Amino acid sequence: EPEVTQTPSHQVTQMGQEVILRCVPISNHLYFYWYRQILGQKVEFLVSFYNNEISEKSEIFDDQFSVERPDGSNFTLKIRSTKLEDSAMYFCASSSRGNTEAFFGQGTRLTVV
Amino acid sequence: LAKTTQPISMDSYEGQEVNITCSHNNIATNDYITWYQQFPSQGPRFIIQGYKTKVTNEVASLFIPADRKSSTLSLPRVSLSDTAVYYCLLDQNTGFQKLVFGTGTRLLVSP
């Protein structure tokens, strides 16, 4: 079964450092997403990406965040200057078209110290 | 944005049928009802989606009454591995899959 893969599975970084979370969506999918889940809280939408541009973003997705699809297979989330409150599980997802099943990766646990 | 309400937690035993009801009184005409499952430290996983009446797949059934103000996810003969959080969501028909997760229902299946 095709799957969304994310690396690394766990990343520890110091406050103020930049981090890049990487995702390989399912190959024939066209829509890509990032969500995050702070420990014990809800899964929250961050951003959706289609046709090489952001289609929607939440208020969480401020200027510190950016996304990129650099090479047609990877989809990355960059946090420019991490804060303690960025510590969370970050999930990448993809879908073949909107309003259908979204496939989620296993997540990257980001710990900011 | 229409909101969903579901029980915070449910307990069951292996082999039983579990029904989780979700209330969505303000569901919009274009909204589909979708259920996801999440195990600890894993990403959510799609279970089933429906618009009206009944939908069944190899994992679950989804019952939606005519007024669409509620829905029921039915898991037949649960096992220990069905212990997870189950989320009821409404998909906005915008063409992009922005999913709004609530707190979900934490199902605990015991031997």
Side-chain angles (χ1 to χ4, degrees):
Chain A
E1 183 179 311
E3 60 179 15
V4 175
T5 56
Q6 292 185 242
T7 54
S9 56
H10 190 188
Q11 176 142 8
V12 181
T13 188
Q14 288 201 325
M15 191 169 52
Q17 295 295 305
E18 174 184 285
V19 294
I20 298 176
L21 310 183
R22 301 180 192 280
C23 169
V24 179
I26 294 172
S27 62
N28 63 343
H29 284 184
L30 301 176
Y31 298 79
F32 314 109
Y33 317 87
W34 283 100
Y35 289 79
R36 80 171 186 189
Q37 185 173 31
I38 295 170
L39 186 64
Q41 298 188 23
K42 300 177 187 178
V43 177
E44 301 173 290
F45 170 80
L46 292 178
V47 66
S48 59
F49 191 86
Y50 170 71
N51 202 26
N52 283 319
E53 59 183 25
I54 290 173
S55 49
E56 188 173 2
K57 59 184 180 179
S58 71
E59 58 191 29
I60 301 169
F61 194 90
D62 61 22
D63 292 343
Q64 293 299 312
F65 290 87
S66 62
V67 290
E68 193 178 30
R69 189 156 161 79
D71 56 14
S73 61
N74 291 285
F75 180 50
T76 61
L77 174 70
K78 182 194 289 186
I79 309 175
R80 270 181 261 284
S81 177
T82 51
K83 303 188 274 285
L84 295 176
E85 54 264 37
D86 293 327
S87 295
M89 196 78 158
Y90 287 81
F91 295 109
C92 173
S94 68
S95 65
S96 58
R97 58 184 171 90
N99 211 31
T100 62
E101 171 181 356
F103 290 78
F104 284 77
Q106 295 287 77
T108 293
R109 182 174 300 283
L110 176 65
T111 302
V112 182
V113 296
Chain B
L1 187 66
K3 186 182 169 182
T4 62
T5 304
Q6 49 184 126
I8 294 174
S9 64
M10 293 182 70
D11 294 322
S12 183
Y13 293 96
E14 279 190 294
Q16 289 191 332
E17 177 183 79
V18 171
N19 295 308
I20 306 175
T21 297
C22 179
S23 172
H24 27 80
N25 289 317
N26 297 319
I27 188 169
T29 304
N30 291 337
D31 282 336
Y32 287 73
I33 299 152
T34 308
W35 287 80
Y36 279 77
Q37 174 193 55
Q38 187 181 27
F39 298 113
S41 298
Q42 293 190 26
R45 186 174 75 100
F46 173 90
I47 302 174
I48 198 165
Q49 182 184 70
Y51 186 80
K52 60 181 178 180
T53 64
K54 177 184 173 182
V55 180
T56 298
N57 62 22
E58 64 277 6
V59 176
S61 294
L62 178 59
F63 299 91
I64 306 168
D67 66 6
R68 303 198 333 121
K69 293 184 185 297
S70 65
S71 58
T72 300
L73 175 73
S74 181
L75 304 172
R77 292 186 298 281
V78 293
S79 63
L80 298 178
S81 61
D82 291 317
T83 292
V85 179
Y86 292 82
Y87 300 98
C88 168
L89 298 89
L90 302 179
D91 283 348
Q92 295 182 51
N93 192 20
T94 61
F96 300 106
Q97 193 82 352
K98 174 185 173 182
L99 300 175
V100 179
F101 289 85
T103 52
T105 296
R106 189 172 299 276
L107 173 65
L108 175 63
V109 180
S110 301

